[in-house]
Amino acid sequence: GQSLEQPSEVTAVEGAIVQINCTYQTSGFYGLSWYQQHDGGAPTFLSYNGLDGLEETGRFSSFLSRSDSYGYLLLQELQMKDSASYFCAVERGDKIIFGKGTRLHILP
Amino acid sequence: NAGVTQTPKFQVLKTGQSMTLQCAQDMNHNSMYWYRQDPGMGLRLIYYSASEGTTDKGEVPNGYNVSRLNKREFSLRLESAAPSQTSVYFCASSAQTGNQETQYFGPGTRLLVL
């Protein structure tokens, strides 16, 4: 089988750093992706890790460790507009499998 | 360049009614997908089409049919709607760059079945 596990909710303070973890039980995938979805909106692509290690894109970074079946999304200098749901996803053949998402709450 | 478009944006149906959700993309992508999203359940794949002329079942295909009309269009049909099909439906298309696949989502269709 294949599954991705994420915390259902995370709360952080504006200006702080938050890490959203994703553990997976699947094999034979190419890499780990992250998507962001604001309330009432559609998911949008954030980042992709094809290799182990850290990928940085502005305030967002993503990490993958295949040996630990683990990845995370790191958001720095949190802004209120970062309040959203974040999904990790893996590609399996012709399909992408999504985690159930982590709702990020940001406190002022 | 509109990306992925979906119609309608909202729909209310009575149990047993039928309807077709339309999706089109103008990015020349081969692969297209239909997902449903329910609270706490994330995105669940209903059907997908890896290329024009092919369709395959996803995780939750029961009660749905699809048609890949051409490379641009991928429609989802509910033959006899049930309250359990109340959900938000997203269409997506994907681009492959090396080993990286990126999905582009439409704005969604919010469906209420009474």
Side-chain angles (χ1 to χ4, degrees):
Chain A
Q2 51 210 14
S3 66
L4 297 96
E5 297 292 329
Q6 312 178 229
S8 58
E9 291 184 279
V10 171
T11 300
V13 178
E14 189 177 15
I17 299 172
V18 71
Q19 179 174 311
I20 299 173
N21 298 322
C22 175
T23 58
Y24 57 85
Q25 296 177 10
T26 187
S27 60
F29 71 96
Y30 292 121
L32 189 70
S33 299
W34 289 91
Y35 287 77
Q36 179 191 58
Q37 184 181 28
H38 287 99
D39 282 349
T44 57
F45 173 79
L46 276 182
S47 69
Y48 173 79
N49 291 75
L51 301 173
D52 283 7
L54 194 67
E55 293 284 340
E56 297 180 76
T57 308
R59 295 187 297 114
F60 294 2
S61 303
S62 56
F63 173 83
L64 175 64
S65 169
R66 291 173 188 267
S67 60
D68 296 323
S69 297
Y70 165 75
Y72 66 72
L73 179 69
L74 190 73
L75 296 82
Q76 303 181 74
E77 301 173 18
L78 283 172
Q79 302 175 10
M80 296 306 292
K81 67 179 182 179
D82 299 328
S83 294
S85 293
Y86 294 84
F87 297 87
C88 58
V90 296
E91 180 186 344
R92 283 280 288 168
D94 294 330
K95 300 178 288 189
I96 289 185
I97 309 298
F98 287 87
K100 293 185 178 180
T102 298
R103 174 70 190 207
L104 174 60
H105 302 278
I106 300 177
L107 304 175
Chain B
N1 193 338
V4 180
T5 57
Q6 292 182 236
T7 55
K9 287 186 169 54
F10 302 95
Q11 185 71 50
V12 179
L13 292 178
K14 295 181 180 178
T15 297
Q17 288 185 316
S18 63
M19 79 162 295
T20 300
L21 283 67
Q22 307 287 353
C23 174
Q25 53 95 7
D26 61 3
M27 295 176 282
N28 202 36
H29 291 163
N30 287 320
S31 298
M32 297 185 73
Y33 307 80
W34 276 104
Y35 295 91
R36 61 177 288 173
Q37 186 173 38
D38 304 291
M41 298 296 292
L43 291 155
R44 293 187 292 171
L45 183 64
I46 304 171
Y47 271 93
Y48 67 101
S49 171
S51 62
E52 185 179 352
T54 69
T55 60
D56 286 285
K57 294 178 180 179
E59 181 185 357
V60 288
N62 291 344
Y64 305 95
N65 286 299
V66 290
S67 296
R68 184 73 183 267
L69 304 169
N70 46 56
K71 192 170 187 178
R72 291 188 63 248
E73 298 173 289
F74 188 38
S75 62
L76 178 72
R77 182 158 178 86
L78 287 70
E79 290 291 350
S80 180
S84 61
Q85 294 178 305
T86 293
S87 189
V88 180
Y89 291 85
F90 287 101
C91 176
S93 66
S94 68
Q96 189 89 27
T97 304
N99 287 333
Q100 177 180 342
E101 179 172 340
T102 302
Q103 295 216 329
Y104 299 85
F105 287 83
T109 294
R110 283 146 183 82
L111 176 65
L112 174 62
V113 183
L114 301 175

